[in-house]
Structures are given as C-alpha cells and as structure tokens.
Amino acid sequence: MIEDAAGAIDSETGITVHWLSVALDVPLAGLFDYRADRAVPIGARVIVPFGHRKLIGVVVDTPETPAFDAAQIKAIDQILDDLPPLPSDWIRLAGFAAQYYQRPLGEVMLPALPAGLRKVTAYQGKRSAGGPVQRLDKRKAPALPLIAADQTPVLNAQQADAVQVINALDGHKTLLLHGVTGSGKTEVYLHAAQAVLARGQQVLFMVPEINLTPQLEQSLRARLAALAGANALAVLHSGLAEGERLRAWLSVQRGQAQVLLGTRLSIFTPMPKLGLIIVDEEHDASYKQQDGLRYSARDLAVWRAHDRQVPVILGSATPSLESWYHAERGHYLKLSLAHRARAVELPVVRLVDTRRLVLQQGFSPQLIDAIQERLDQGQQALIFLNRRGYAPVLNCASCGWVSQCPRCSAYTVLHRGSGRRHRLQCHHCGYQVQAPHACPDCGDQDLRPMGRGTQRVEEHLAELFPQARIARIDADSTRLKGSAAALFAKVHAGEYDLLVGTQMVAKGHDFVNLGLVGVLNADAMLFAQDFRAPERLFSQLMQVAGRAGRHVKGGEVIIQTDYPDQPVYQSLVRHDYAGFAQYSLAERESIGLPPCAFQALLTAEARELKLALDFLAQARVWLQEQIGDGGAALTLYDPVPLRVVRVANIERAQLLVESLHRPTLQVFLAQWSAALPELAAKARVRYQLEVDPLEI
Ligand code: ADP
Ligand code: ZN
Ligand code: ZN
C-alpha cells in the first residue's frame, strides 16, 4: 500500500482507495470501516452493506490506514450527495452526547436525522442520489397561518435591563433568566432574538411541548414571523408528519429558516448561522428524553452554545436547582424579572389546613366559598388535580378486593366511559377491562371508587355548582388531534366558568378571566420517594398558581393540605423561589445529592425480578473491582426493585451510582458501559444506563 495525498493506492489493483470510518445506527460500540474509490468528505452520508442489510451511515473520519485487515473491508454502495456533508459542529455535538450519555455514536447521529435522510428504503432503486429530498423540495411548503401579532409592548425597566445585558454579550455566556410568572420573559426572548436576526444569524428557540400550549405557540409564531418573515420560521416537534419534519429540518440546515421553534429533538438540527439558543421553561422534564439516548436537551443546549461560542438563555419562574446552583456559583449569569409585566399583582396564595375540616366531596368550605365568589363576579376558576380518571382504584366494601392490573404491580384506575359503562384502565401498560358490577372475589355488589381523579372532581363540581359550565382538561378529554386547542379556545372565549385539569393546564396558558386556582391532593407528591419530588411540586404549583389573576385583579390560589408547615408550601405563600432553592440546595448539599453530586442509574428488566437483581449485583461487583482502593470516589448503592416493580409482565430493578466529581463518574461509566453488554447477555436481561437521571 502506498500513501498519497488523495488516498492510498492498492498495490495489487493500482486503484486509489479511500478508507472511511462510518457511524451506523446499530447497538454496537465503535465505528465501522469501509472503503470508497473516491474521496468522501467527513459528514457525508453513505449507503453501506452491513451483514445482510444495507444501512445509511455518517462518515466521521477518513483515516489513512484502516483499523484492521484491509482485505476484509467492504466497499460502500453509494455516497448520498443530496445534502451537503453534516457540519463539523454537528458531529462534535453528537460525539459529545455519545460520550457523555454512554451510547454508540451511530445511535446518537442517525436517530437525530429526519427519517427520510436515514432510511435506506427512501433511496433504494435510485441510481442518482437524493430523489426523496428533491421531490419534497418541489412540493410547496404550506403557508403558515397568518395571525396578527399582538401589539408589541414597550419593554418595562426590568425587561429592558435584561435585554441590554444579553445584547451586549460577545461570545458565549449561559444566562439564567429568572422571571416570576407573567413577568414577560417572552418579550425578553423576542428582543434578544430580534438583535440576533438583525445580524443575519439564526436562533434556536426551544419550548418543552408544542401541542400543549397552542396559544403560546400561535403568538410566538406570529411574533417570530413578524421578526423574521413567515418563511424564515421553522417548527420542529415529534407530532409532525415525516415530510413536514424533513422540510423544516432542511430549511434550517440550509440557513433559509432563521428561527427554529422546537421541542427537545430540535437541539440536533444543524444550524450554520447559529447566534442564540433560548430554552424556555428550562426546568421542564420534557427536555429529558426518556428512552433510547436519554439526553437532556437543556444540558446539550448549554454545551452547544459553548461549543459555538454563542449565548444561551435558560428561562423559568422556577429554575431547576441545577441551573440555580450554577448561577449562585457564578457559572451562569442570573437575570431577574421580579414583577409581573402588567399592572396586576401576583396572586395571593392561601393554605387551607384540611386536618380538622369536614370536606364536602373533597372540597373545603373555604374553597367552595371562593369558587362561588368568582362565579358571582363572572370570573373563571380552575381546580388543579394531577390525577386523571374517575378514581385511582375500585374497592370491594365487603371483602377488601381492590382492582389490580394482571400484568403490572399497580392498581387499575376507574374511568367513567360514555353512557353508564365504567372501565378499569392500567396507566402503566394500557391494559383495559370493563369495570365489574360485582366483586370478582366475593360477589358482593358494594363496589366503591376510592379517592378521586379529574372525572370525579368534575362530577362533584357539577353537584356543588349546578349553574356553572364546566370543562375538564386532561389527557383523556383531549385525546383527539386538535381537541386540546379547541377546548382551550372555548375556555379563552369564556364559554366555561369552571375548569378542572391536570398539569396540562398548568403550563404557559395566559387565561384572561381566571381569578382563582384551587389545588387538590398536592400532598400526594410531598412524600414521594424521589428526592426531586418537592422541587417538582414547588414548580408545578408555582406554574399553576401563575395562571390566576394574570389579567383580572385580586387573583387567588387556595392549596388544600394536611401539612401547611412544609417548606414547599410556606415558600409558595411568599412567592419565594429563591428561599425554597436555598433551603433545598442546603439540604441536597448536606446529604450529597445533585446538583452537588452526579448520578447514573442502571436499570435492568427481566421476566423475573431475581434475574434483574442478580445482573445488577454482578455489574456492581464488576465496577467495584475497577474502582479498587480508590473506592471513596464513587458510591455504589444496592440494587433495588423499582417502586412499580412489574410493568407488562416485565420486572424491573435499578442500581444507583454517584460521585461528587463528574469526570470521575464519567471515567468509570465509560469502562462500565463497555463491559455491560456481555454481562447482560449472560444474565439474559435488558438494561439501560442513564446519566443524570431525573427520576429515581
Ligand atoms: P411569562 O412568560 O414571564 O410568564 P409572558 O411573557 O407570558 O410572561 O407575559 C405575560 C403577559 O404580560 C403577556 O400577556 C404579555 O403580553 C404581557 N407583557 C409582557 N411584557 C409587557 C410589557 N412590557 N408591557 C405590557 N405587557 C407586557
Ligand atoms: Zn369482595
Ligand atoms: Zn398494567
């Protein structure tokens, strides 16, 4: 083999050979070597033979010599030149994610591309590359609905200060925009975006979920379209059809779209002129991907902004304790919007101590009176309850039978169907059955729903306030496509007086006539096992409280609780996020929990719990041996069954690993993740390794 600048010349055939390292979406670590008869740029997509299949891969290196026996290396089938090569910063981002989250590079890269660019079937039978893409290009992009942008308000002093700081930045900075609900964070984002667009750069604007808040999306669309021109806005989320997604992706990748508004998956879109990243509601768990590559789009946004040397704005009324901690230590720059933008005060938060009260269908007299008062004033009231269905379990009063899922270690939830038929439904595996008329064990007919979900609360409200028009907003009432938007439109149009809803109503909605928010059953989250439960409860209640009195004066929030002294509730009464964060961080620091420590979670799944636990025990021993005497650097907990141990007849257990030092954890995780496939194969279990798990 003789090397030359253009490649290596095969001494037998005299043909120039180019070696390629290719990332493929297969569950094997490492890259795959191929040969090509002409130079292929890094970032190009190629079709290659793999076993009996053909796959699309991404060229990530062009080594001078192959890693193993050149004679064994197969030639690529085709270079796909319908796209310019994927840019080097995109490859770096995927590389970082692969390394940090301990996944093969190909399993990061390929799923990050729209399906049409990574499915070999889209290209088969075509000699000339890129026929799917060109065809799509010819189709006209659907015009965005033209909505008149709201009048752009004049920035108030606190907003103007924040915008000034952001616009004066040169290079990278992570900004934490902490603004109380209704403080006008959106205006700050838009002004910052405007300055970036004026420089001809692109903006990545991430939101937790798009379909949940059609109103927010519409006004954002309208404002962004006004800034950038209707064609300069692209929207990406998982609800799009393949073709729509590809079109949006291409327009951003080509620099035609200047603004990308999207959910977590949009973090992996190539943006040649990226100038700013915005992560709205940065604390939201939706930024965490919960299967496959379990990445945090928020964290990747910070990494990407640093890599591209551009600013990133993390905005929230209740920042994650991770981000707050960084800001407190000066790693992030904190910007505060302490007051509401409009001339309305934050709602008054009242705790109703339910320990000594006689409740009427779950409602305290105080809450009933407060609702009646709002109805009398012609205002709306919202009852928040994070539990859908009619009742969480059905119970036999005679023998104690409870409704249980045959496939999971969980109760089945009673749902009221249309007509008089009730169903029992498992919220873990989807199992459904007609609710029995009599107890399956003793035959008694005295079956009672225990506890209450949104359907039952809706029923109670109808009894308590027979004149009121009531809307229930949860995953069940909005199952059909477009129905959530339609329901919210009616709410905004004043066609309902009372709303009952789950967290779906908590986020982002700007209710114009809502004066009161009542919270039922918040205590359920107070003593959950997960150490993040109080943080989640605080942010959820703060968000839902923020729906009250956004436009009407005298907004009020009533939280019914048996534990009014809990710090979470006391901080809420004072609207004191900072106090809550300080208290929680001190607690986390004292027991060594994130963000003061770093975690990884190994979860095993098997037909029998023992198999899963045995595998975790072996994995633990393996890691313990690697660590050796330097054991203090890492804490290995004992393998434990999950709280809901069996789901769809699969038993699950987990093992938590923790370190005070992130790089140390990373080093050991890399070794561990290389050893786990073999251990798991022997133990016949499936497993996932999750870095920075959000739920434990
Ligand atoms: P946040 O996202 O911080 O909860 P929003 O961005 O939704 O708050 O703003 C709350 C409301 O205040 C919106 O109706 C918005 O149009 C309005 N608003 C924002 N900035 C101003 C301003 N400077 N003057 C008047 N109204 C404003
Ligand atoms: Zn019974
Ligand atoms: Zn089930």
Side-chain angles (χ1 to χ4, degrees), residues 153-154 156 159 180-187 341-342 510 550:
V154 178
N156 59 38
Q159 289 170 318
V180 300
T181 54
S183 59
K185 291 184 286 296
T186 313
E187 283 309 315
R342 293 175 186 275
D510 196 24
R550 292 174 76 86

Side-chain angles (χ1 to χ4, degrees), residues 17-95:
V17 187
H18 297 264
W19 305 112
L20 310 178
S21 298
V22 178
L24 296 175
D25 186 9
V26 291
L28 296 170
L31 299 169
F32 300 88
D33 282 356
Y34 288 92
R35 61 201 293 159
D37 56 13
R38 63 181 165 104
V40 182
I42 289 177
R45 284 145 54 250
V46 289
I47 297 183
V48 299
F50 186 82
H52 300 294
R53 294 184 291 164
K54 304 281 186 197
L55 292 176
I56 290 184
V58 177
V59 176
V60 292
D61 197 10
T62 52
E64 287 186 357
T65 49
F68 72 111
D69 184 8
Q72 304 273 327
I73 295 179
K74 292 183 190 155
I76 62 165
D77 274 21
Q78 195 178 333
I79 304 169
L80 298 173
D81 53 10
D82 51 354
L83 272 191
L86 291 154
S88 56
D89 75 295
W90 184 88
I91 294 175
R92 281 198 303 277
L93 176 67

Side-chain angles (χ1 to χ4, degrees), residues 338-411:
H339 309 288
R340 280 194 159 176
R342 293 175 186 275
V344 284
E345 291 302 313
L346 284 167
V348 172
V349 178
R350 274 167 58 195
L351 303 175
V352 171
D353 184 344
T354 40
R355 279 172 299 186
R356 279 174 220 88
L357 286 179
V358 181
L359 302 183
Q360 215 181 325
Q361 324 256 46
F363 286 82
S364 62
Q366 289 92 324
L367 183 52
I368 292 175
D369 289 349
I371 295 172
Q372 189 58 56
E373 211 173 293
R374 296 293 160 171
L375 292 176
D376 294 344
Q377 291 169 21
Q379 292 181 9
Q380 292 168 321
L382 162 67
I383 304 303
F384 173 72
L385 170 74
N386 220 352
R387 189 189 269 163
R388 65 190 173 88
Y390 189 82
V393 62
L394 188 63
N395 168 251
C396 169
S398 160
C399 78
W401 171 87
V402 286
S403 58
Q404 217 142 15
C405 177
R407 308 196 289 168
C408 307
S409 51
Y411 297 130

Side-chain angles (χ1 to χ4, degrees), residues 405-408 426-431 647-648:
C405 177
R407 308 196 289 168
C408 307
C426 174
H427 286 188
H428 295 274
C429 74
Y431 169 86
V647 167

Side-chain angles (χ1 to χ4, degrees), residues 377-563:
Q377 291 169 21
Q379 292 181 9
Q380 292 168 321
L382 162 67
I383 304 303
F384 173 72
L385 170 74
N386 220 352
R387 189 189 269 163
R388 65 190 173 88
Y390 189 82
V393 62
L394 188 63
N395 168 251
C396 169
S398 160
C399 78
W401 171 87
V402 286
S403 58
Q404 217 142 15
C405 177
R407 308 196 289 168
C408 307
S409 51
Y411 297 130
T412 46
V413 177
L414 186 66
H415 283 255
R416 191 187 51 204
S418 50
R420 299 197 52 227
R421 299 301 287 173
H422 287 38
R423 278 172 301 118
L424 289 170
Q425 195 180 315
C426 174
H427 286 188
H428 295 274
C429 74
Y431 169 86
Q432 283 200 30
V433 66
Q434 292 279 349
H437 289 298
C439 173
D441 279 2
C442 75
D444 197 293
Q445 302 217 343
D446 192 6
L447 293 180
R448 296 177 185 177
M450 303 282 281
R452 53 183 65 81
T454 44
Q455 282 188 328
R456 199 174 192 185
V457 170
E458 180 187 16
E459 198 176 277
H460 292 335
L461 281 173
E463 288 162 18
L464 292 166
F465 306 99
Q467 271 83 40
R469 298 162 299 171
I470 304 170
R472 175 169 54 88
I473 304 179
D474 57 26
D476 299 311
S477 72
T478 57
R479 203 162 291 275
L480 295 175
K481 198 175 177 202
S483 59
L487 199 50
F488 278 113
K490 282 181 158 187
V491 171
H492 294 308
E495 292 180 32
Y496 293 107
D497 309 304
L498 297 180
L499 319 176
V500 48
T502 55
Q503 57 179 348
M504 277 189 75
V505 291
K507 295 181 184 178
H509 297 282
D510 196 24
F511 296 110
V512 286
N513 195 30
L514 187 78
L516 172 75
V517 168
V519 180
L520 306 182
N521 207 34
D523 292 344
M525 269 177 77
L526 206 53
F527 301 109
Q529 284 178 354
D530 195 324
F531 71 90
R532 283 193 177 85
E535 178 184 358
R536 263 197 290 271
L537 178 61
F538 183 87
S539 90
Q540 210 168 63
L541 293 186
M542 190 77 129
Q543 292 291 334
V544 74
R547 301 313 108 203
R550 292 174 76 86
H551 298 260
V552 296
K553 285 208 183 346
E556 186 184 18
V557 180
I558 292 181
I559 301 172
Q560 296 191 168
T561 172
D562 282 351
Y563 307 92

